[in-house]
Amino acid sequence: MEQNEAQQKAIKHRDGPMMVLAGPGSGKTTVITNRTRALIEDYGVKPEHILVITFTRAAAKEMRERFEKLMGLTDSKVHFGTFHSVYFGILKRAYNYDASCIIKEEERCQFFRDLVGKMKLEIEDEKEFIEGIISEISIVKGDRMDVEHYYSMNCSEQCFKQIYRAYELMLRNSNRIDFDDMLLMCYELLTARPDILAGWQRRYKYILIDEFQDINRVQYDIIRLLAKPENNLFIVGDDDQSIYRFRGAKPEIMLNFPKDYPDCKQVLLDVNYRSMEEIVAAAGRLVSVNTKRFQKKILASRGAGGKVEVRAYPNVRAQNEAMVQELLEFHHKGGSYRDIAVLYRTNLQPGALVEKLMEYNIPFLMRDALPNLYDHWIAKNILTYIRLATGDRDRALYFEIMNRPKRYLSREAFPEKQVDLWKVKQYYLRINKRYVVDKLEQLETDLKLLKRMDPYAAVNYIRRAMGYDDYLREYAKFRRINEEELFDTMAQLEEAAKGYKTYTEWFLHIEEYREQLKEQGEKKQNKDEDAVTLMTFHGSKGLEFPHVYIVDANEGIAPHHKAVVNEDMEEERRMFYVAMTRTKDKLSILWAKERYNKQQEISRFVTELLTDHTAFCEGARVRHKTLGDGTVVQLRDGKISIRFDRLRGTKTLDLDFCMKCGLLAAR
């Protein structure tokens, strides 16, 4: 493909630092591979003196293959690698490390499982807790932070420090390192040994970095050391697509790059070769609301056209049903399922949609593993109550729920594998704890009532009459998590129970769903398969599709309710921007007015992308109108319109969009 002027300027850059701002679909891989070629063929740089860094092995492999195809080679001496592979290579030379020195993921997780057990932490979802702790340890190390000054999001500071120190002691005693240690130890080595640093500086005279917006502090500090003294540092990235702060990525590093290197050249790759004009314009309006970014204007090479539509539905069930019917109609008319992607903010969202796709036999592929709602510890607790109500007397079941909510029961009161509650009551009467007996009698009454209920009524009763919601509030406080996260899971289960008349019917569905999910997980990802792609905003990065659906565009979901500070909100906006820019021709944004019996608001991001964010409601000429059920808001040919489908036909109005209240007003 012939390069445009901005691409050529970046490719022909000779020496010194350069920052290339590469918008979505702007050909950044073309720039990196062609600049590498230019360094060798036009400027006489030896291939072995060039280092190209990416963030994943797959990206490094693809970059190498693209470069070798461009050069007509099969074995280039240019070094393509990830940060970890490059830095571990430096450590191997200095310390004679090999792969056996790196702690395996399962070994690390087992250590944390054992530690949680020894510390007697009352953790319901052990896997989720451990993943959170591992992520936080990575952030501490990646920022080269003193653990004394770190405020944990998963547990108390004292608890986190104890876990952190125990983990570090284990690594030292076993002579192991983790992936974060690779970076830290490499930095410490290069700062302590100028001779070793000088050797690597002579080796890598030109450094090119892809996806620079995702770099963390220690990665950047090492790169700055390696690039000296010539600073032939060529960075390519898009600050508007920095979406990995939870992994320690620091978008401010890219924003401050011109300050760190005042003599750096800058190029903006401002042509989007992927999306139509309306899509590019709408995405640009959205991301321009962010204040901490490089201002840029992206153009669409494919010209005018494209379609952005926003649809409102009365509830999530209606949203999913409408999407499924549209997919079926699209395929019936000869369309390929593979042309469609459904994107969502978190992988906890699409469970109901997946069930609907399975119901209609619509093939789909999932880029991210879908957690099974019924495997969540909350769902397991509820299903355990139901099993006890229907006659199961297994002691393990009682152990699971006996103090959820608090009943002051202890394991010693259950000596037999099959529980007889009369004997348990006698145990507490003997030790003069009548208040515990009262709790047991209430539990007996509750179980008798549950036995006669349908699944939906049972879930409601357990939550509100038996006090399970109160237990969730206490647990959320203990774990320092937002109780709404737990109640969302509870509400999903409640919604899932609707439509089943008996427990047998519901349990049969749960088993069938589990088997279908298992089959889906074992299915090999075949790019040629005609299937709808489902993935999170994060998982969609770097991909493209003719038609993209963004579902659940509601406040509290996108943006996520965890986003409370401005930095978090700006990252949420960037995530939505990434999702929008995956589409070539059509973008459908769906939101529901009600979710699990709770009223919902349209995402602020939708109001921002539909019109210039500097517009205000004072310009509205008539009273505001909210989006009605089944209405469609379209952004096409530079105009915003709303279509009301009525029995008498279709009526279209041009609209102004009110940015203060997020409502529509007719002109």
Side-chain angles (χ1 to χ4, degrees):
M1 183 179 71
E2 185 177 342
Q3 291 100 32
N4 62 41
E5 185 178 343
Q7 289 175 329
Q8 289 178 4
K9 183 178 179 182
I11 290 168
K12 293 177 180 178
H13 176 69
R14 177 67 169 95
D15 295 323
M18 170 172 269
M19 178 174 68
V20 179
L21 295 174
S26 61
K28 63 183 180 62
T29 302
T30 296
V31 166
I32 293 173
T33 53
N34 276 275
R35 168 170 161 73
T36 306
R37 179 200 56 76
L39 286 173
I40 298 168
E41 293 185 348
D42 299 342
Y43 302 128
V45 177
K46 293 182 178 179
E48 56 268 30
H49 288 165
I50 301 173
L51 171 63
V52 181
I53 300 181
T54 66
F55 276 83
T56 67
R57 284 186 293 180
K61 182 174 181 290
E62 181 187 358
M63 193 77 75
R64 171 180 285 280
E65 289 172 351
R66 289 272 296 269
F67 172 72
E68 291 179 346
K69 183 178 179 181
L70 179 68
M71 297 289 288
L73 300 171
T74 56
D75 185 21
S76 169
K77 293 182 180 179
V78 175
H79 189 170
F80 292 85
T82 64
F83 281 102
H84 286 97
S85 68
V86 171
Y87 295 170
F88 188 59
I90 293 174
L91 291 179
K92 283 199 294 185
R93 292 285 189 90
Y95 299 131
N96 294 318
Y97 278 151
D98 58 37
S100 66
C101 300
I102 305 170
I103 189 168
K104 292 181 174 60
E105 189 61 25
E106 176 52 37
E107 187 179 355
R108 181 162 69 158
C109 289
Q110 186 59 52
F111 168 80
F112 285 115
R113 284 193 290 268
D114 293 342
L115 185 60
V116 167
K118 290 176 184 176
M119 294 175 67
K120 297 183 178 180
L121 299 177
E122 295 182 7
I123 304 299
E124 302 298 345
D125 192 333
E126 186 181 77
K127 181 175 180 292
E128 180 258 351
F129 176 75
I130 290 173
E131 287 174 352
I133 290 294
I134 288 174
S135 177
E136 290 194 285
I137 289 174
S138 184
I139 289 172
V140 170
K141 291 185 177 184
D143 281 352
R144 294 195 285 117
M145 190 186 307
D146 188 336
V147 70
E148 293 293 331
H149 303 143
Y150 183 72
Y151 183 87
S152 175
M153 296 174 287
N154 281 280
C155 55
S156 70
E157 281 67 62
Q158 191 59 39
C159 178
F160 180 78
K161 290 173 189 174
Q162 186 177 348
I163 293 172
Y164 182 92
R165 288 168 181 151
Y167 175 59
E168 288 297 282
L169 182 62
M170 180 274 290
L171 289 176
R172 285 198 298 273
N173 289 343
S174 60
N175 196 30
R176 300 289 187 85
I177 62 173
D178 61 21
F179 284 98
D180 299 303
D181 291 328
M182 287 183 196
L183 310 183
L184 275 174
M185 294 177 68
C186 186
Y187 175 78
E188 292 166 355
L189 171 68
L190 296 180
T191 51
R193 293 287 303 273
D195 55 327
I196 293 177
L197 173 61
W200 289 104
Q201 287 170 337
R202 288 192 296 270
R203 168 77 180 273
Y204 297 133
K205 294 183 178 180
Y206 290 84
I207 302 174
L208 298 82
I209 303 177
D210 188 21
E211 303 285 9
F212 188 79
Q213 75 277 353
D214 296 331
I215 201 166
N216 70 20
R217 173 54 57 189
V218 68
Q219 288 168 343
Y220 183 53
D221 289 343
I222 297 170
I223 283 297
R224 295 199 70 187
L225 290 172
L226 291 174
K228 290 178 180 179
E230 289 87 357
N231 292 326
N232 292 322
L233 193 53
F234 186 87
I235 68 165
V236 182
D238 182 6
D239 56 304
D240 289 333
Q241 295 188 71
S242 179
I243 59 173
Y244 294 111
R245 283 182 71 234
F246 70 96
R247 292 182 186 169
K250 299 287 185 183
E252 56 268 28
I253 292 176
M254 186 168 193
L255 293 173
N256 290 328
F257 190 80
K259 296 178 182 178
D260 293 336
Y261 296 94
D263 60 335
C264 85
K265 302 291 192 301
Q266 296 186 40
V267 173
L268 169 62
L269 303 185
D270 59 355
V271 179
N272 183 319
Y273 291 97
R274 175 187 301 147
S275 307
M276 300 290 281
E277 189 173 280
E278 294 293 355
I279 295 162
V280 172
R285 281 191 294 274
L286 170 69
V287 80
S288 67
V289 180
N290 279 355
T291 56
K292 296 179 180 179
R293 63 185 291 267
F294 291 113
Q295 296 298 318
K296 55 182 82 74
K297 175 71 174 177
I298 304 297
L299 308 173
S301 73
R302 296 177 61 201
K307 185 177 181 181
V308 179
E309 60 182 17
V310 180
R311 301 185 196 168
Y313 293 94
N315 52 51
V316 175
R317 187 183 294 267
Q319 172 189 276
N320 292 340
E321 182 67 39
M323 189 192 308
V324 164
Q325 293 303 324
E326 190 166 311
L327 291 173
L328 289 170
E329 182 180 355
F330 171 76
H331 191 254
H332 180 70
K333 290 180 178 179
S336 298
Y337 284 131
R338 71 170 66 90
D339 289 341
I340 296 175
V342 180
L343 309 184
Y344 34 84
R345 171 62 180 85
T346 75
N347 64 0
L348 298 176
Q349 290 169 240
L353 175 60
V354 165
E355 291 194 54
K356 187 65 67 175
L357 293 171
M358 290 176 176
E359 179 184 338
Y360 284 89
N361 293 316
I362 295 176
F364 64 93
L365 294 172
M366 301 198 68
R367 297 268 302 188
D368 314 278
L370 175 66
N372 186 346
L373 169 65
Y374 303 111
D375 287 340
H376 194 284
W377 62 268
I378 291 176
K380 287 181 176 179
N381 285 177
I382 301 303
L383 296 176
T384 292
Y385 269 118
I386 293 173
R387 288 190 175 97
L388 291 175
T390 54
D392 200 326
R393 291 291 174 262
D394 192 319
R395 178 175 58 180
L397 298 180
Y398 278 98
F399 283 169
E400 185 180 334
I401 54 83
M402 64 185 186
N403 287 313
R404 302 174 187 178
K406 196 72 173 176
R407 297 186 179 93
Y408 308 101
L409 295 168
S410 64
R411 290 177 173 244
E412 289 76 16
F414 298 82
E416 299 172 351
K417 290 185 178 181
Q418 290 295 307
V419 174
D420 183 340
L421 283 182
W422 183 85
K423 292 182 179 179
V424 179
K425 286 188 287 184
Q426 295 305 308
Y427 171 87
Y428 282 104
L429 284 172
R430 285 196 299 272
I431 59 176
N432 199 29
K433 289 188 176 181
R434 178 68 209 187
Y435 64 95
V436 179
V437 176
D438 291 342
K439 296 279 187 184
L440 283 166
E441 289 177 345
Q442 182 60 53
L443 176 60
E444 281 184 301
T445 301
D446 289 334
L447 293 177
K448 289 176 183 176
L449 290 171
L450 283 175
K451 186 176 182 179
R452 300 196 298 268
M453 296 180 185
D454 63 41
Y456 179 70
V459 176
N460 255 300
Y461 187 82
I462 295 167
R463 290 189 65 179
R464 297 169 177 90
M466 295 178 66
Y468 191 80
D469 277 6
D470 294 332
Y471 162 71
L472 291 181
R473 290 187 183 94
E474 292 177 8
Y475 181 73
K477 187 175 181 181
F478 163 67
R479 278 291 315 280
R480 291 187 173 183
I481 57 180
N482 190 323
E483 65 184 40
E484 287 303 312
E485 293 180 40
L486 304 181
F487 287 135
D488 281 351
T489 300
M490 194 73 254
Q492 285 183 55
L493 186 68
E494 195 171 46
E495 181 74 15
K498 286 182 178 178
Y500 298 98
K501 295 179 181 179
T502 66
Y503 296 136
T504 300
E505 185 183 351
W506 193 29
F507 283 9
L508 180 61
H509 165 75
I510 290 171
E511 287 307 311
E512 289 175 348
Y513 180 62
R514 180 174 283 114
E515 284 302 311
Q516 288 174 317
L517 272 188
K518 183 180 178 182
E519 289 176 13
Q520 177 67 27
E522 292 172 351
K523 187 190 297 183
K524 292 183 179 180
Q525 298 289 319
N526 182 358
K527 293 181 180 179
D528 297 324
E529 183 176 352
D530 189 25
V532 178
T533 301
L534 275 63
M535 68 184 87
T536 61
F537 292 174
H538 284 101
S540 71
K541 194 164 181 289
L543 303 176
E544 59 181 42
F545 302 87
H547 185 184
V548 166
Y549 287 89
I550 295 177
V551 297
D552 302 329
N554 292 92
E555 284 291 302
I557 298 176
H560 198 275
H561 60 75
K562 283 185 177 179
V564 290
V565 299
N566 188 57
E567 288 79 4
D568 292 336
M569 187 58 68
E570 294 214 344
E571 175 143 293
E572 291 287 324
R573 190 173 285 107
R574 292 194 294 266
M575 275 187 259
F576 208 93
Y577 173 77
V578 166
M580 289 181 67
T581 53
R582 298 310 95 198
T583 189
K584 297 179 180 180
D585 306 313
K586 184 178 179 181
L587 175 64
S588 299
I589 302 174
L590 314 184
W591 70 286
K593 295 180 180 181
E594 181 185 278
R595 187 177 183 84
Y596 310 132
N597 301 315
K598 292 171 63 178
Q599 292 299 307
Q600 301 290 306
E601 295 180 10
I602 189 171
S603 168
R604 71 188 70 185
F605 299 154
V606 178
T607 67
E608 292 166 357
L609 69 89
L610 282 174
T611 191
D612 191 314
H613 71 278
T614 59
F616 292 97
C617 61
E618 283 80 2
R621 298 181 186 173
V622 298
R623 68 185 182 86
H624 296 103
K625 297 178 181 289
T626 59
L627 292 171
D629 295 346
T631 60
V632 179
V633 177
Q634 293 187 353
L635 181 63
R636 202 170 191 178
D637 300 327
K639 297 179 181 178
I640 302 171
S641 64
I642 186 167
R643 189 174 76 242
F644 297 87
D645 292 321
R646 293 289 184 264
L647 292 175
R648 297 179 181 176
T650 298
K651 183 178 181 182
T652 301
L653 298 173
D654 290 326
L655 301 166
D656 289 321
F657 212 86
C658 168
M659 287 307 303
K660 283 190 174 178
C661 57
L663 303 180
L664 292 164
R667 290 177 187 155

